[in-house]
Amino acid sequence: MPTIDFSLEDLRNLLGKKIDLKELKDRGILFAKGEIEEEKDGKLKVDVKDTNRPDLWSVEGIARELRGHYGIKTGLPKFKIKKSDLVVKVDKKVEKVRPKTVCAVVKNLNLDEKSLKQIIQLQEKVCQTFGRNRDTAAIGIYDYDKIEGPIKYTTFKPENLKFKPLGFKEEMTLEQIIKKHPKGKEYGYLLENHKEYPIFIDKEKNVLSMPPIINSEYTGKVDEKTKNVFIEVSGHKINTISIALNVIVLALRERGGEICSVDINYEKEKITTPDFSPNYEKMNLEKCKKILGLELSKKEIKDLLKKSRCEGKIKGNKIKVKYPAYRKDIMNERDLIEEVGISYGYEKIDPEKIKFQTRGEEKEIEKFENKMRELCIGFELQEILTFTLTSKKNLLEKMRAKDKKIIEISNPVSKNWSVFRNSLLPNMLEFLSKNKHVQYPQKIFEIGKIAKINKQKETRTEDLTNLSIMITDNEVGYENIVSILDSVMENLGIKYSLKKSKNKNFIESRTAKIFIKGKKIGKLGEIYPEVLENFNLEKPVVALEINLDKLLKLSS
Amino acid sequence: MYKITKEGRKYLKEDFPEIKLIKKEGKKIKDLKDEIDNFDIAMQWAKKNGWIKIENGKIKIKKKPEKYKLSDSLKKIQEDKKIDKKNLEILKKRNLLKKIRDDIEKRAKKFVGKKITNLDPSLLKTGLWRKTKFKKYKIEARGKKIYPGKIQPYQKFILKVRRKLLELGFKEMSGPLVELEFWNFDALFQPQNHPARDWTDTYSLKNPKHGKLPEKKIVRAVRKSHEDNWKYGWSRKKAKRLVPRAHDTAITPRYLAKNIEVPGKYFSLVRCYRPDIMDAQHLIEFNQLGGFVIGENMNLKKLLGLLKTFAKEFGKPEKIKFFPDYYPFTEPSVQISIKDKKMGWVELAGAGIFREELTKPLGIDEPVIAWGIGLDRLAMSALEIDDIRKLFSQDLSWLRKSEVL
């Protein structure tokens, strides 16, 4: 979710209304699905929650939306588009790299430091979030007065063209830019594996930019003195880049700019952008009332839509809704229903209690876990909770276990949490190792999930619920842990048997497998000294681990 | 040696019952039965000693003894003096004396006249504790610390929350820790190129990599919904990828696709995974609580009603407030915040009505309310901690000291 900064004063000026902070916080900003995160000396930090509404990621966009809800200007935003004589010729060669572009010119700007900052902020947010880090949409803004049309959108071999990238004093080849310029290093991967790189270049052979990497220092530098700008958005789909262009152009218009169109000549077609013709979607009025649970008249619905800058025509029980060309989020009538709800105001809706009664139902294993928990408390064991993720080192190396197939994460944040545990023991030993200075005896237990590979399952894995108990003290031995197991089984009324085991976690002849009705349900014993050393432990530890899913099945 | 029994000590204090009896000359027997303890014994011995006879149901003294031998003998025993064998036998028979084993006597005698620390069982068996003194203790001194067995504090909180949801009529759902992207994303109408599916936002697995898709009918319907609405070529292979479950909502479509009751209320409280850097606000692994409600024509008004119920059940809100919100799988979406005395405004839950593009392919035609509660933040507030890592505390001292919620 994008977070944007702006000043309350700027919003007030754009809105044309002296909205106070409390009203903005409690009601106004909600119309833009926003939340004020921080407020200091009139400077606001706002989270805009809708990741599908780039038109709201700027103070200009928020003002436009709020004008509707406060009745200052409702319905579709209207404005004039003049024609510029600028033409952009798209070379067929770009098809393989970055095939599409849409452009616009905005004239007579009167930018100051603040508004320039806002535009740059919007450009960044749109490229990052909406444009998937410049992949699906990258925006370039240029000083129109330094450009000689027509502009050509074409490709060059990386070593064949030189220009001064933004912020640099020397000319560099495209190849050098990718390797040395900070933006080249950051976004270069987007052009990887291409033999030629995309370039905007004007009639005078001045390079405008190498999208989606960097503008040129000459034309691509925009500041407060810039009066007229040329804007291009490049990417892969006309629909996507058009939204980005419309959002930027409209924001500049809010700052007093005049929008002018640009002709773009593709090999096979000619288009003129920006295109602000509205889109249409139908909404069933009954459905709208049903989903919201509100009794609304046709006129009320129509008026509420107007407040969110849409316009509707009612036909029978349907309304045909025109919505602005900068909105990408409207997929079907449900999206329009939400618009009606937001315009109505959630604070005005009287919550209604759900009347039907149902019976709560717990999983059997949860009940069983609680039973075991109660027993463990009786044995004076302290419950602990650890992560189900652990490290290969803890799980295998320290436990002297074979490199069995374990469930492994391919993109771990840290090696410490990169595999799923297949036993509770390593985490519990690690817990003890962190508490060596704490009073002994230490008696702990954990009930938790472990996960194992199981090719039969649809997820090729299965997770199980295990119980593990551990005791450590100066003097503790096999008999201490067996007596706990015995007591657990006696309390469950289950007969069990112990069989010899060669588990390497434990001392041989002081470890056993636990069987019920011929099925193995767990293990217990004295932890092998080398394992203790691996975990930096200096007192003996006895442990047991049993699978509760199996135990539950066998005990009922 | 012999120890005087409890009965014997009583006789020493109050005299033998037969002595008590002969002091009641002329009284009616039936009245005396209540007046004298061990009346039968008293009668037996008074007669045997030739002290009394009975006339007209009344006691009549034949002979009054100057001294009573048994009484003297018992006193002598108390003073550690020897008595004759005949009386010893009688006292033993009458259960006024008890023989003490020699080794016990020997052990007990070592303590006689001394200040003792522990009350040795031999002292109680012989009664010789009477001839010892107790060493004085500093009663302000605390003993060695002991720790009871306790449920982990966060676990305790989770159990409480679960109990509450059961009381509200919710059924618990469960699902696998390692999940197919199909259920984690596709079935929830998240397009395959959505940034949430990038490696930066979701873990992926090295081993195993791919799982098995569910029945064709569902896969086909989900694919169509994506291709018709998001307009891209849906990939089976991508949907088959396995991920550590990224959110609890991954369980919901599994249930919607097959085994639900309508009307019904469902919840899940499960471990989820996200590749965050661990710090005071973030865990790589955490519990999420969420679920859905279906039936009775769910709508936004009832959704707000449900959230209001949650607010009352899970906190003591002074005020509640609803905000329009955005979630990729619900429309409309809403967030509820509550104003708590201690914490101020806190985000409690997010919710919405599932998009039809999600429910229809799973065979559900009516509106479904989906909700999720910020469990960790609630837990931190309940446990009064400000570092989220403490929920999984590795500090045994802290766990031992933690208050019982």
Side-chain angles (χ1 to χ4, degrees), chain B residues 188-250:
Chain B
L188 289 169
F189 196 53
Q190 293 244 62
Q192 294 188 324
N193 62 354
H194 195 276
R197 298 176 77 154
D198 280 357
W199 60 273
T200 46
D201 283 317
T202 308
Y203 281 126
S204 55
L205 289 191
K206 193 191 253 177
N207 179 50
K209 272 201 172 86
H210 298 279
K212 208 176 84 189
L213 288 178
E215 53 180 304
K216 270 187 193 156
K217 204 179 110 193
I218 293 169
V219 176
R220 225 180 280 147
V222 167
R223 170 187 208 134
K224 192 171 173 336
S225 179
H226 277 242
E227 293 189 337
D228 289 355
N229 294 295
W230 292 118
K231 317 227 182 286
Y232 70 99
W234 186 83
S235 148
R236 263 177 90 79
K237 187 141 194 217
K238 208 163 182 187
K240 273 162 80 174
R241 289 198 308 205
L242 294 171
V243 292
R245 177 173 53 213
H247 54 172
D248 68 298
T249 320

Side-chain angles (χ1 to χ4, degrees), chain A residues 25-27 30 33-35 49-52 129 132 237 287 290-294 328-329 331-332 334-335 338 341-342 346-347 349-363 366 370 373 376-377 380-389 405-413 417 420-421 427 430-431 434-435 437-445 447 449-451 453 458-461 463, chain B residues 144-145 147 149-152 154-155 159 162-163 166 169-174 176-180 183 189 193 195 199 202-208 210-212 229-231 242 244 254-255 263-265 271 273 275-278 283-285 293-302 304-306 308-309 321-326 331-335 353-357 367 392-397 399-400:
Chain A
K25 202 172 178 176
D26 291 348
R27 208 164 82 91
L30 307 190
K33 283 197 191 174
E35 199 179 335
K49 291 169 184 175
D50 200 327
T51 49
N52 281 332
T129 312
R132 303 280 151 81
K237 281 185 183 167
K287 195 142 184 202
K290 207 181 131 195
I291 291 290
L292 296 175
L294 297 173
K328 182 227 169 205
D329 59 311
M331 199 172 263
N332 62 26
R334 187 65 80 78
D335 302 285
E338 189 185 60
I342 291 174
Y346 287 6
E347 81 280 0
I349 301 175
D350 190 20
E352 182 185 335
K353 246 194 165 169
I354 294 172
K355 286 188 200 82
F356 68 86
Q357 300 284 322
T358 44
R359 261 176 75 108
E361 215 175 273
E362 202 173 0
K363 293 267 159 203
E366 297 286 352
N370 282 338
R373 222 168 245 129
C376 288
I377 302 303
E380 295 178 352
L381 300 162
Q382 168 68 50
E383 184 179 28
I384 67 164
L385 275 185
T386 64
F387 293 127
T388 56
L389 295 178
K405 288 223 159 174
I406 46 174
I407 307 172
E408 205 177 341
I409 287 173
S410 58
N411 56 334
V413 171
W417 299 287
F420 275 93
R421 64 182 175 191
N427 279 354
E430 191 173 36
F431 180 93
K434 287 180 180 160
N435 289 284
H437 55 286
V438 181
Q439 187 186 307
Y440 288 82
Q442 297 180 358
K443 302 152 100 184
I444 56 172
F445 78 101
I447 294 173
K449 295 266 188 207
I450 61 151
I453 290 184
E458 53 162 334
T459 58
R460 311 295 178 222
T461 56
D463 39 272
Chain B
K144 186 184 172 185
K145 273 223 156 55
Y147 299 98
K150 269 203 263 182
I151 296 179
Q152 206 268 8
Y154 181 37
Q155 182 68 48
L159 293 174
R162 178 175 276 126
R163 181 74 21 229
L166 295 172
F170 283 84
K171 280 194 170 70
E172 183 160 17
M173 304 183 279
S174 62
L177 279 187
V178 171
E179 186 56 283
L180 286 157
W183 293 116
F189 196 53
N193 62 354
W199 60 273
T202 308
Y203 281 126
S204 55
L205 289 191
K206 193 191 253 177
N207 179 50
H210 298 279
K212 208 176 84 189
N229 294 295
W230 292 118
K231 317 227 182 286
L242 294 171
R254 282 181 175 273
Y255 276 72
K265 300 172 189 162
R271 213 58 87 79
Y273 305 84
D276 265 320
I277 304 281
M278 240 209 288
L283 292 175
I284 41 143
E285 188 180 328
V293 179
I294 184 169
E296 205 191 62
N297 296 322
M298 284 299 130
N299 57 37
L300 182 61
K301 227 174 136 136
K302 288 176 186 168
L304 300 190
L306 176 71
K308 200 176 161 185
T309 306
K321 196 171 174 196
F322 299 110
F323 299 83
D325 205 344
Y326 172 78
E331 186 90 8
S333 307
V334 55
Q335 179 204 310
I353 302 173
F354 273 135
R355 299 191 70 100
E356 284 179 1
E357 294 90 336
F392 291 86
S393 175
Q394 298 274 297
D395 179 352
L396 183 58
S397 310
L399 290 172
R400 281 173 168 176

Side-chain angles (χ1 to χ4, degrees), chain A residues 238-337:
Chain A
I238 292 280
N239 278 347
T240 311
I241 56 179
S242 294
I243 297 276
L245 180 71
N246 290 355
V247 163
I248 291 281
V249 168
L250 273 191
L252 285 168
R253 187 187 164 271
E254 297 283 350
R255 297 291 179 188
E258 285 170 26
I259 307 174
C260 304
S261 66
V262 175
D263 285 337
I264 302 173
N265 296 348
Y266 283 92
E267 171 105 311
K268 282 179 188 156
E269 61 171 339
K270 255 187 209 178
I271 58 171
T272 302
T273 60
D275 179 1
F276 282 102
S277 33
N279 296 309
Y280 294 89
E281 185 65 52
K282 271 184 195 155
M283 178 174 82
N284 183 313
L285 294 165
E286 287 312 308
K287 195 142 184 202
C288 175
K289 290 193 271 180
K290 207 181 131 195
I291 291 290
L292 296 175
L294 297 173
E295 265 315 312
L296 297 168
S297 70
K298 287 179 183 178
K299 188 175 177 301
E300 277 175 303
I301 294 178
K302 202 174 154 178
D303 288 347
L304 289 169
L305 282 168
K306 259 188 148 174
K307 285 186 168 185
S308 52
R309 313 306 308 259
C310 302
E311 272 167 25
K313 239 188 194 167
I314 293 172
K315 247 188 191 172
N317 62 353
K318 286 204 168 140
I319 183 165
K320 193 178 171 191
V321 181
K322 256 199 266 185
Y323 63 90
Y326 51 76
R327 291 198 55 172
K328 182 227 169 205
D329 59 311
I330 290 168
M331 199 172 263
N332 62 26
E333 66 179 350
R334 187 65 80 78
D335 302 285
L336 294 171
I337 293 173

Side-chain angles (χ1 to χ4, degrees), chain A residues 40 75 84 111 117 140 176 227 236 243 310 369 430 486 518:
Chain A
K40 214 184 158 192
S84 79
L111 295 174
K117 235 179 167 176
Q176 284 167 332
K227 281 272 161 259
H236 309 279
I243 297 276
C310 302
E369 279 179 30
E430 191 173 36
D486 198 65

Side-chain angles (χ1 to χ4, degrees), chain A residues 54-177:
Chain A
D55 59 298
L56 294 176
W57 301 348
S58 68
V59 62
E60 295 90 350
I62 289 173
R64 183 167 53 239
E65 194 74 10
L66 263 55
R67 253 181 249 136
H69 292 288
Y70 284 102
I72 299 162
K73 254 182 193 163
T74 61
L76 287 172
K78 291 188 180 68
F79 38 83
K80 278 188 197 132
I81 302 176
K82 286 186 185 164
K83 231 176 138 40
S84 79
D85 48 12
L86 187 65
V87 173
V88 175
K89 290 180 180 170
V90 181
D91 191 335
K92 205 178 152 193
K93 289 200 290 176
V94 297
E95 263 170 37
K96 284 181 209 153
V97 201
R98 207 170 168 80
K100 302 292 182 201
T101 182
V102 288
C103 311
V105 170
V106 180
K107 289 184 180 169
N108 293 327
L109 282 168
N110 191 9
L111 295 174
D112 57 9
E113 199 194 327
K114 229 193 312 187
S115 48
L116 189 66
K117 235 179 167 176
Q118 284 298 318
I119 296 296
I120 291 167
Q121 174 175 267
L122 175 62
Q123 183 189 357
E124 275 172 7
K125 298 287 169 190
V126 172
C127 289
Q128 257 172 34
T129 312
F130 180 77
R132 303 280 151 81
N133 261 330
R134 300 193 184 182
D135 180 16
T136 59
I139 302 166
I141 305 179
Y142 313 84
D143 189 339
Y144 175 72
D145 298 325
K146 289 183 183 166
I147 299 170
E148 276 302 316
I151 295 168
K152 203 169 179 189
Y153 180 41
T154 181
T155 63
F156 279 88
K157 288 202 169 119
E159 62 280 5
N160 282 3
L161 185 71
K162 274 185 168 184
F163 73 95
K164 260 188 228 169
L166 198 61
F168 274 60
K169 281 180 184 146
E170 300 133 42
E171 287 199 333
M172 294 164 88
T173 65
L174 305 186
E175 199 175 8
Q176 284 167 332
I177 292 172

